Amino acid sequence: MTRIACAQIDPTIGAVSANLELTAGAIADAVAQGADVVVLPELATSGYMFADADEARSAALSPGGPAFDAWRSAAGGAIVVGGFCELGDDGLLYNSAAVLDADGMIATYRKTHLWDREKLIFTPGAALPSVLKTRHGAIAVMVCYDLEFGEVTRRVALDGAELIVAPVNWPLFPRPEGERPGEVITAMSTARINRVVIAVCDRAGVERDQPWTEGTVIVDPDGWVIAEAGTGAGLAMADVDLSATHDKTLTELVDLFSDRRIDLY
Amino acid sequence: MTRIACAQIDPTIGAVSANLELTAGAIADAVAQGADVVVLPELATSGYMFADADEARSAALSPGGPAFDAWRSAAGGAIVVGGFCELGDDGLLYNSAAVLDADGMIATYRKTHLWDREKLIFTPGAALPSVLKTRHGAIAVMVCYDLEFGEVTRRVALDGAELIVAPVNWPLFPRPEGERPGEVITAMSTARINRVVIAVCDRAGVERDQPWTEGTVIVDPDGWVIAEAGTGAGLAMADVDLSATHDKTLTELVDLFSDRRIDLY
């Protein structure tokens, strides 16, 4: 079994040092509870609601720099996936996710589908997420709005992803009483039609008048929510059998992948 | 506004004449209540749980034959979409949906993604659904399992579908207390990520020990369920503004279609 933990924290915009301390603490807490995979929100080191690109730049980090030492030190035996504001070698800003363990950075993924005003600040990533073969499973990392594109989620599932991990900052949208957030509904649908596990880490609180959905969820391959962080800061944690995602059949004659009509699309 | 009605009826396996009477009555009832689009379940004229292909063949209809006169007579000013067991000109059996109005057959769609034992009986359709420009909107018709394939739903949405109509027979799967059926969750997600209306007509009852989900729903372009048929036989009806589906933006800088990274997939 693989223990997944999503830390729905509330970083402070621009306060990079404080946010590194907060996130390293959240990682250490999750690892102390036995987590194998620890997920942090999108832009966890910087906050989200930048006034402009200059403000984002002042909170940007290089993935090769020492900023992530605290995450590595806290990681123990876990894989950590967390969002950060990246200053690329090319001098451009990216809305990125770091994937690392105690030994160092495994990969950096740059968000390919930028949401709303992010387009005024960040450069979109040039490559879709790859499937990372880690000690805790085959993991595809995407960031927030990426998850809404079935083109990407299907691609990584076909490429062998057992687990889709997504740091997000979901701005709160209105929804009917009793309904799950729309983004969670899409995560559930994505999990069930691809038979993968999905771990989404949202953030908590309100930032510059923007309330967040606080929609952190872990979804099993049947599409059911098996852990939530709930309201406010908190941890969602669940044990999952990632090998169950290898079987795409529902009956002897139903296989979600081979039933695709690839002759027609 | 367009009034959509889905008639969640309980046909009897093999009883074609009785089922034609039942379905024509359901169409007439919906039209009397002002429906512009009337949807019937999958295989509404024949029932679903065939023992074998011979039994299906004995309940098959030709779309050019007189069997659909009763539907045409009942259609009034509405578009009718209903599932039937088709005997093709080629002598093969198809799990099809008829689309017709008072003037006659508009189109026949043959299910492209066959579910489970359907593969032992039917030939899969050779073409994806096209978008039909009808007097009551741009409609894409698919049948049941087709809806689970984002490749198809995205395609018809990009091709201008305002409304996806799906006759289904959803076999009942277990689900956690308080959750919607997984198939409904996928319909909701499909509606919201494509900003289309989706009308799904399930069937009621139990047939040869197979209980049905009775999951008939109409979903708006935000992904919310605006009408359900509920338990047992019944009608789901809703008025929708199909022109709202033309706008794929969520904010000034978010457009669900142009935000796709077609350079990457």
Side-chain angles (χ1 to χ4, degrees):
Chain A
M1 297 293 272
T2 303
R3 181 163 291 183
I4 301 170
C6 300
Q8 182 174 282
I9 55 173
D10 181 5
T12 302
I13 188 148
V16 177
S17 297
N19 293 335
L20 286 170
E21 194 173 335
L22 174 71
T23 49
I27 295 166
D29 283 352
V31 168
Q33 293 180 61
D36 299 308
V37 178
V38 181
V39 193
L40 300 169
E42 182 178 8
L43 295 175
T45 60
S46 63
Y48 183 93
M49 295 294 293
F50 299 118
D52 53 33
D54 285 346
E55 188 183 23
R57 187 170 293 274
S58 72
L61 300 173
S62 164
F68 295 97
D69 287 350
W71 288 16
R72 280 195 288 272
S73 299
I79 306 289
V80 175
V81 181
F84 71 107
C85 179
E86 180 187 356
L87 177 63
D89 286 343
D90 52 13
L92 300 172
L93 297 176
Y94 298 92
N95 182 339
S96 297
V99 186
L100 57 79
D101 63 13
D103 297 329
M105 196 69 74
I106 295 170
T108 305
Y109 166 70
R110 294 168 170 174
K111 186 176 187 176
T112 43
H113 300 82
L114 297 178
W115 170 263
D116 204 42
R117 295 189 70 260
E118 295 170 26
K119 294 171 184 175
L120 308 178
I121 294 172
F122 299 108
T123 299
L128 295 182
S130 51
V131 178
L132 306 168
K133 299 288 173 58
T134 77
R135 75 181 85 168
H136 295 302
I139 301 176
V141 173
M142 40 196 80
V143 178
C144 206
Y145 190 33
D146 292 330
L147 265 183
E148 308 279 303
F149 294 85
E151 292 90 344
V152 184
T153 49
R154 180 70 110 192
R155 182 72 265 150
V156 300
L158 290 170
D159 287 348
E162 299 167 322
L163 172 62
I164 294 175
V165 168
V168 309
N169 280 187
W170 280 336
L172 182 61
F173 273 74
R175 62 181 188 266
E177 180 78 23
E179 296 287 2
R180 294 185 179 281
E183 298 89 341
V184 171
I185 289 169
T186 290
M188 294 168 75
S189 176
T190 302
R192 67 179 289 278
I193 66 177
N194 293 295
R195 295 200 61 74
V196 294
V197 176
I198 301 185
V200 179
C201 189
D202 198 6
R203 58 164 292 176
V206 177
E207 189 180 81
R208 293 186 174 166
D209 296 329
Q210 176 61 62
W212 307 103
T213 301
E214 302 180 334
T216 297
V217 283
I218 302 172
V219 185
D220 75 12
D222 292 326
W224 305 121
V225 172
I226 53 173
E228 299 177 270
T231 305
L235 192 71
M237 196 155 65
D239 294 336
V240 296
D241 172 13
L242 292 180
S243 71
T245 65
H246 302 172
D247 181 6
K248 306 301 183 186
T249 67
L250 298 181
T251 75
E252 203 178 321
L253 289 171
V254 173
D255 184 305
L256 298 181
F257 282 7
S258 65
D259 287 343
R260 288 176 307 126
R261 290 295 302 275
I262 54 174
D263 56 323
L264 298 179
Y265 43 72
Chain B
M1 298 292 272
T2 302
R3 181 164 291 182
I4 301 170
C6 299
Q8 181 174 282
I9 55 172
D10 181 5
T12 302
I13 188 148
V16 176
S17 296
N19 293 335
L20 285 170
E21 194 173 335
L22 175 71
T23 49
I27 295 165
D29 283 352
V31 168
Q33 293 180 60
D36 298 309
V37 178
V38 182
V39 193
L40 300 168
E42 182 179 8
L43 294 175
T45 59
S46 62
Y48 183 93
M49 296 294 292
F50 299 119
D52 53 33
D54 284 346
E55 189 183 20
R57 187 171 293 274
S58 72
L61 299 173
S62 164
F68 294 98
D69 286 350
W71 289 15
R72 280 195 288 272
S73 298
I79 305 290
V80 175
V81 181
F84 71 106
C85 179
E86 179 187 357
L87 177 63
D89 285 343
D90 51 13
L92 300 172
L93 298 176
Y94 298 92
N95 182 340
S96 297
V99 186
L100 57 78
D101 63 13
D103 297 329
M105 194 70 73
I106 296 170
T108 304
Y109 166 71
R110 294 169 169 174
K111 187 176 186 176
T112 45
H113 300 82
L114 296 178
W115 169 264
D116 203 41
R117 295 189 69 260
E118 295 171 27
K119 294 171 184 174
L120 308 178
I121 295 173
F122 299 108
T123 299
L128 295 182
S130 52
V131 178
L132 306 168
K133 300 287 173 58
T134 77
R135 76 181 85 168
H136 294 302
I139 301 176
V141 173
M142 40 196 79
V143 178
C144 205
Y145 191 32
D146 292 329
L147 265 183
E148 310 278 303
F149 295 84
E151 293 89 344
V152 184
T153 49
R154 180 71 109 192
R155 182 72 265 148
V156 299
L158 290 170
D159 287 347
E162 299 167 321
L163 172 62
I164 293 175
V165 168
V168 310
N169 279 187
W170 281 337
L172 182 62
F173 273 74
R175 61 181 190 266
E177 181 77 25
E179 296 287 3
R180 294 186 180 280
E183 298 88 342
V184 171
I185 289 168
T186 291
M188 294 169 75
S189 176
T190 302
R192 67 179 288 279
I193 66 178
N194 293 295
R195 295 199 62 72
V196 293
V197 176
I198 300 186
V200 178
C201 189
D202 197 6
R203 58 163 292 175
V206 176
E207 189 180 81
R208 292 185 175 167
D209 297 330
Q210 176 60 61
W212 307 104
T213 301
E214 301 180 334
T216 297
V217 284
I218 302 172
V219 184
D220 76 12
D222 292 325
W224 306 121
V225 172
I226 52 172
E228 298 176 271
T231 305
L235 192 71
M237 196 157 64
D239 293 336
V240 297
D241 173 12
L242 291 180
S243 71
T245 66
H246 302 172
D247 180 6
K248 305 301 183 186
T249 67
L250 297 181
T251 74
E252 203 178 322
L253 291 170
V254 172
D255 183 305
L256 298 180
F257 281 7
S258 65
D259 287 344
R260 288 177 308 127
R261 289 295 302 277
I262 54 174
D263 56 323
L264 299 179
Y265 43 71

